[in-house]
Amino acid sequence: MSAGLYTNLAWLPRPPGDFRQRCRGLVDSGPSPGEAIMHLAGYALDESQLRQLAARIEMLRAEGRSLAPLAPLRLGLLGNATLEPLVPALIATAARHGVDLECTKADYAQTLQEALSPDSLTNRAKPDAVLLALDHRGLPLRAAIHDPQAASSGVADSIAFLESLRRGFRTHAGALSILQTLPALPESTFGSLDRSVPGTLRSLAATFNAALVESVKDTQDLLFDVAALAQTVGLANWHSPSQWNIGKFAFDAQFLPLYADHVGRILGALRGKSRKCLVLDLDNTVWGGVIGDDGLEGIVIGQGDATGEAYLDVQRAALDLRDRGIVLAVSSKNADDIARSAFRQHPEMLLRENHIAVFQANWNDKATNITAIATELSLGVESMVFLDDNPAERALVRKMLPQVAVPELPEDPALYARTLAAAGYFETIAFSEEDRKRADFYQDNARRVILQTQAGDIDSYLASLEMKIVFRPFDATGRSRIAQLINKSNQFNLTTRRYSEADVAVFEADPKLFTLQVRLIDSFGDNGMISVVICRPGTKSAWEIDTWLMSCRVLGRRVEQMVLREILTHARARGIEKLVGRYLPTEKNVLVRDHYAKLGFRLLDTAPNGATTWELKTSAEIAPAPMSVDRDGFDLVAV
């Protein structure tokens, strides 16, 4: 398997023969067809099928149908090539990644005008993000062989040009920009010497890409590494002189679904839709053979054997994911002690028991085990990726848990790790120290669940955790994580309002707002940032709670009591007399429907759509939970 893995999106199942009819049937799929759209988008669709699905999505949207649980996102699309085929491909593919995408396409090569004019089509649409689909022909980047100064100026001018676009869209639309690296051309001037001769196109592309990475680093804008994508499938395949000459297509049309999938991954990550947990089957997935039949000494794993090394690659890939914060779990049809024996005793195993957050080895079906894993980790099943060599098991999990991502695998185990990586389930737009520790957070959480079952009562359990809660206002240090939580928290989220990192930066500087970022530390370790609150000034000495969300990892620990005590403390210090809270129902936040009632708020209003409004006087007293409090970054005199 070579470029076909990528070109054909081979990790996705093939579309059914009646795909067109299924698209047509979306109109009859109930009041909220979002789940059905996601299911259809989950096939390996070609350009024609992407158009069919996109047309139905736009039809349903025009009818005013809710596409939940797809998360809405508006995208501006600009470039120096023909963009029309991209629009339906992006709309349909975004649904695969959990996004309800509305696209605004600018006219051909109108990037600068669109960015600088406040009344341009793109700026009027107020997109959440703009994709600047520019290649080397859309930048002031020209070959300048043997002229280092001209080459350097061309790169600097190109970066400055992009910065003017980014600034324009940020200023006039409040949008972040997604910027593409430049794929090198397959044609060279000097052969292998090209990279070391200033001013060749190959040298310019490398220099430009390095400069672009630096210019995007530590900003709110995002990078789309088209250069890496093109290299993966082959530069001679990616660039099509014929298609450029005929229709001004920036890359070969065969890669349109792949390009759209990579954009969809970024958009999904922007909306917090990336997966968080890799669930591993064991027999013939992380080692060769069936341990229950072949015994510990009979499984195939380790150096010196082609098959054994292939399974080592799978284990190495899993460990690399864990090192960047992806939680690992096991779902295997095996006796528990036999399955664990490989992790404990086999000298060639890279994976060990302490790498696995939840170990489900039993005779239940895999879907039941995955559901149990999700519950134990306090994650939704939509956060799960299931890796299994057995087509029947994959089909069963897809049928019973369609929210779980289940990659198709080739027969050759040497390609398992590559296929998992190619699928891009764990795309991220930022990486922090807290992200790196996330696997440990969830693993500790699973241990807390075990402790809870052993404790005599809830008070004893909570006291044994020796918890400390830390309150800070929004700041630059926590900004990225705050935006991440705002955009990915669904279940414990009272309003599900989404704000970008740029919005969070504005909130930090607004003295009229009250903001909280909350961390929780216990005897198992630091849980990281687990709650975010935004209060806005309301009428008659009131604060309106615009946003209140919390990680489900800390449910049942009375954290919400302590957060409310903190809000009340600051509110009273500022002369606020009451809090107004709203619950805006979604498909996923029924968990917090009674949140305000449980905390003593008084119901003011119930809307026809189920939204409720609540009120609490700031003189209210809320009982403390068994945890100490650290407060930092506030005006302590006022508090």
Side-chain angles (χ1 to χ4, degrees):
M1 185 179 292
S2 56
L5 165 65
Y6 304 94
T7 312
N8 301 325
L9 310 180
W11 54 91
L12 297 173
R14 301 297 97 187
D18 61 348
F19 178 80
R20 181 186 293 273
Q21 288 72 27
R22 294 195 189 196
C23 283
R24 289 173 178 164
L26 285 172
V27 294
D28 301 320
S29 57
S32 183
E35 292 280 3
I37 290 172
M38 283 184 69
H39 180 70
L40 287 175
Y43 292 110
L45 306 180
D46 61 23
E47 182 178 353
S48 172
Q49 291 160 331
L50 289 170
R51 277 201 308 271
Q52 294 168 32
L53 182 56
R56 291 294 161 177
I57 292 172
E58 295 200 288
M59 181 183 299
L60 292 165
R61 190 185 293 131
E63 293 174 355
R65 303 274 290 275
S66 166
L67 301 187
L70 299 179
L73 193 147
R74 296 187 302 275
L75 180 73
L77 180 59
L78 304 100
N80 63 304
T82 299
L83 299 175
E84 280 75 9
L86 276 181
V87 175
L90 290 174
I91 290 172
T93 305
R96 181 181 301 148
H97 298 279
V99 173
D100 170 15
L101 185 68
E102 289 186 66
C103 229
T104 300
K105 181 189 70 64
D107 290 338
Y108 181 81
Q110 294 296 303
T111 49
L112 192 61
Q113 297 88 329
E114 288 289 315
L116 300 186
S117 170
D119 297 325
S120 69
L121 177 69
T122 304
N123 285 328
R124 286 200 314 273
K126 297 296 180 191
D128 300 291
V130 292
L131 172 59
L132 298 173
L134 298 165
D135 69 5
H136 64 283
R137 291 161 292 216
L139 298 170
L141 201 62
R142 301 290 177 268
I145 296 171
H146 290 308
D147 190 343
Q149 187 172 356
S152 178
S153 296
V155 171
D157 290 347
S158 297
I159 296 295
F161 173 70
L162 288 177
E163 175 52 37
S164 67
L165 301 182
R166 295 161 64 183
R167 189 167 49 246
F169 291 124
R170 190 164 54 241
T171 301
H172 301 307
L176 62 83
S177 295
I178 302 172
L179 300 117
Q180 298 188 163
T181 54
L182 296 182
L185 294 172
E187 297 83 8
S188 67
T189 305
F190 294 95
S192 296
L193 195 63
D194 259 37
R195 286 188 182 276
S196 57
V197 176
T200 64
L201 283 176
R202 191 164 290 177
S203 170
L204 285 172
T207 308
F208 169 84
N209 289 340
L212 181 64
V213 169
E214 283 302 310
S215 75
V216 173
K217 189 184 297 181
D218 299 326
T219 74
Q220 295 141 14
D221 296 330
L222 303 175
L223 201 65
F224 175 17
D225 197 356
V226 174
L229 181 61
Q231 286 172 350
T232 300
V233 297
L235 295 176
N237 297 320
W238 181 263
H239 293 285
S240 170
S242 301
Q243 293 190 33
W244 174 260
N245 292 338
I246 293 172
K248 295 296 176 284
F249 296 109
F251 53 87
D252 194 297
Q254 67 173 316
F255 299 115
L256 181 63
L258 179 64
Y259 176 96
D261 194 73
H262 278 250
V263 176
R265 297 171 191 183
I266 295 172
L267 301 181
L270 196 57
R271 282 292 182 256
K273 299 287 187 178
S274 296
R275 309 278 170 165
K276 302 180 181 71
C277 178
L278 175 62
V279 182
L280 296 162
D281 170 52
L282 297 180
D283 292 334
N284 292 314
T285 298
V286 300
W287 59 64
V290 178
I291 193 169
D293 296 334
D294 302 326
L296 180 65
E297 65 286 352
I299 62 173
V300 182
I301 182 73
Q303 297 291 343
D305 177 275
T307 303
E309 291 184 18
Y311 290 111
L312 279 183
D313 286 343
V314 175
Q315 296 196 19
R316 195 172 291 111
L319 283 174
D320 287 346
L321 288 170
R322 190 184 184 281
D323 285 346
R324 50 150 290 193
I326 303 303
V327 187
L328 302 184
V330 162
S331 174
S332 171
K333 285 185 176 176
N334 261 308
D336 184 84
D337 58 337
I338 293 175
R340 288 179 188 268
S341 66
F343 291 81
R344 292 170 177 169
Q345 301 173 35
H346 201 293
E348 297 289 343
M349 285 282 288
L350 299 177
L351 286 168
R352 296 295 173 184
E353 269 188 293
N354 64 321
H355 298 132
I356 307 300
V358 182
F359 203 103
Q360 290 280 336
N362 49 46
W363 302 106
N364 294 333
D365 65 78
K366 301 288 180 67
T368 299
N369 278 340
I370 292 170
T371 302
I373 290 167
T375 301
E376 196 160 336
L377 293 171
S378 301
L379 287 171
V381 291
E382 71 278 5
S383 298
M384 305 283 159
V385 175
F386 178 52
L387 194 72
D388 195 319
D389 69 297
N390 188 326
E393 297 285 6
R394 296 198 298 263
L396 176 72
V397 172
R398 284 197 192 104
K399 183 174 183 179
M400 296 182 68
L401 297 174
Q403 309 96 321
V404 175
V406 186
E408 286 292 282
L409 290 178
E411 291 189 3
D412 185 354
L415 295 170
Y416 287 3
R418 177 173 291 183
T419 302
L420 177 64
Y425 296 119
F426 305 106
E427 183 85 23
T428 187
I429 56 173
F431 182 64
S432 64
E433 183 63 17
E434 197 154 306
D435 291 319
R436 194 180 66 78
K437 295 177 179 175
R438 189 169 55 197
D440 290 330
F441 293 157
Y442 282 101
Q443 200 149 337
D444 289 343
N445 214 42
R447 292 162 58 199
R448 291 183 190 99
V449 171
I450 295 172
L451 176 62
Q452 187 171 3
T453 62
Q454 296 170 344
D457 56 69
I458 186 66
D459 290 333
S460 300
Y461 163 65
L462 293 178
S464 70
L465 290 177
E466 300 173 353
M467 292 182 286
K468 179 174 73 175
I469 194 165
V470 181
F471 296 111
R472 293 179 60 87
F474 286 6
D475 57 21
T477 304
R479 188 184 302 159
S480 174
R481 177 61 176 159
I482 291 167
Q484 197 179 44
L485 280 175
I486 287 174
N487 283 292
K488 76 176 186 179
S489 297
N490 293 304
Q491 297 180 86
F492 196 114
N493 194 334
L494 273 301
T495 54
T496 320
R497 292 185 174 119
R498 307 301 193 190
Y499 296 114
S500 68
E501 202 168 321
D503 295 326
V504 173
V506 172
F507 299 161
E508 289 168 22
D510 189 340
K512 296 191 294 298
L513 300 186
F514 172 73
T515 60
L516 271 183
Q517 52 174 315
V518 186
R519 304 181 70 89
L520 186 70
I521 302 163
D522 63 25
S523 56
F524 286 95
D526 188 346
N527 292 269
M529 192 183 299
I530 47 88
S531 186
V532 167
V533 173
I534 302 169
C535 294
R536 298 181 182 276
T539 57
K540 298 180 181 177
S541 301
W543 270 356
E544 295 192 0
I545 303 173
D546 174 280
T547 296
W548 188 345
L549 59 87
M550 192 172 81
S551 168
C552 291
R553 296 200 312 266
V554 296
L555 280 177
R557 298 219 231 155
R558 301 177 186 166
V559 169
E560 55 271 37
Q561 284 178 225
M562 297 302 286
V563 171
L564 179 57
R565 280 173 62 88
E566 187 70 8
I567 297 172
L568 290 172
T569 299
H570 289 272
R572 286 193 288 262
R574 297 190 190 190
I576 300 300
E577 296 176 357
K578 62 182 179 183
L579 303 179
V580 176
R582 288 192 172 79
Y583 165 65
L584 304 181
T586 69
E587 295 269 337
K588 293 189 174 181
N589 71 352
V590 67
L591 172 73
V592 291
R593 183 179 54 196
D594 300 323
H595 170 77
Y596 286 120
K598 291 176 181 174
L599 290 174
F601 282 65
R602 182 172 67 90
L603 179 63
L604 294 180
D605 179 63
T606 302
N609 67 352
T612 52
T613 305
W614 304 77
E615 179 183 276
L616 180 72
K617 292 184 178 177
T618 57
S619 57
E621 291 295 335
I622 304 298
M627 61 185 76
S628 61
V629 176
D630 262 15
R631 187 180 290 121
D632 190 20
F634 296 105
D635 180 351
L636 297 180
V637 175
V639 173

